[in-house]
Amino acid sequence: MSSHKSDRPVILMQPGPLHLFWTTGVFYIWALKKRFNLVLVVPEVYKGNTLFEKITSLQEVSRVEFLPEHKKFLRHFVWAKRFKDIILEFEPIKLLLHNESYVENQYLLYFANNLIPNVPCFIYQNGKMTFYWKEDFIARNATRLELLLVKLPIFSHNIWIARRIIKLM
């Protein structure tokens, strides 16, 4: 992999879980590699994936930063320091994130916005909305309600109210 020091600007990309890398991330790399140095920030599970390593070397990714897996509480301290260091080292002109809800992406957004004011961030979603969104929504809420009733039996006497509400949606 080439060094990140060059005359090309840096885009920092967090493609999400490995399966999402193959659905969109790899195509973004292919489209952006000639104009930008690409720095990927990926979970540690990417490490050792021979196909991922081959793609990133062939596509001339400047650097791959692997996020170590830690216990949930410790992870926040490690990630905060790591993301701050990554932003300061590479000074990206743009961020490309697979969503804004993953904790990793929230750290990246926070440090990028605080250390490089007005850095643009492009967020893309890999999901597809179901054609039957109303039925899907009702089924998901019914499942959540059933789980809640199992965990909190105190609410079981209000089950008929909750089911009526779900039917009205």
Side-chain angles (χ1 to χ4, degrees):
M1 290 183 213
S2 60
S3 170
H4 74 280
K5 301 289 184 195
S6 81
D7 54 348
R8 293 185 298 165
V10 172
I11 290 183
L12 194 139
M13 180 178 172
Q14 207 294 24
L18 192 56
H19 69 279
L20 296 182
F21 174 78
W22 297 116
T23 59
T24 50
V26 69
F27 300 105
Y28 284 128
I29 291 172
W30 183 64
L32 298 170
K33 70 178 183 177
K34 290 189 191 307
R35 294 183 48 213
F36 301 97
N37 280 331
L38 299 170
V39 175
L40 300 182
V41 179
V42 298
E44 202 168 43
V45 297
Y46 279 61
K47 195 180 276 188
N49 184 299
T50 54
L51 190 54
F52 171 75
E53 290 174 357
K54 186 173 185 178
I55 290 292
T56 53
S57 66
L58 290 175
Q59 297 294 337
E60 301 173 20
V61 171
S62 299
R63 180 110 153 244
V64 178
E65 291 286 328
F66 295 100
L67 295 177
E69 290 295 321
H70 292 286
K71 295 191 189 280
K72 289 183 182 184
F73 187 71
L74 180 60
R75 178 183 317 174
H76 292 281
F77 294 105
V78 173
W79 283 358
K81 179 172 181 2
R82 192 77 181 272
F83 286 131
K84 182 179 180 182
D85 292 345
I86 289 169
I87 295 294
L88 289 172
E89 179 180 353
F90 295 104
E91 298 178 0
I93 63 155
K94 292 180 176 108
L95 276 88
L96 186 59
L97 309 175
H98 77 285
N99 72 26
E100 60 187 340
S101 61
Y102 271 37
V103 175
E104 306 96 289
N105 295 343
Q106 291 175 16
Y107 277 113
L108 280 170
L109 286 169
Y110 173 81
F111 285 113
N113 286 325
N114 283 293
L115 299 171
I116 307 171
N118 301 318
V119 63
C121 178
F122 299 94
I123 298 171
Y124 60 94
Q125 286 291 138
N126 292 32
K128 176 183 146 191
M129 186 66 148
T130 177
F131 289 115
Y132 308 103
W133 64 269
K134 186 176 178 182
E135 292 83 357
D136 186 54
F137 180 76
I138 290 169
R140 287 173 192 256
N141 279 336
T143 303
R144 280 192 207 116
L145 179 62
E146 294 298 329
L147 289 173
L148 181 63
L149 292 174
V150 170
K151 291 179 183 177
L152 303 170
I154 193 167
F155 294 109
S156 62
H157 66 280
N158 291 328
I159 186 73
W160 66 273
I161 294 173
R163 286 197 172 131
R164 291 257 187 225
I165 292 169
I166 289 174
K167 284 183 182 178
L168 293 175
M169 291 184 203

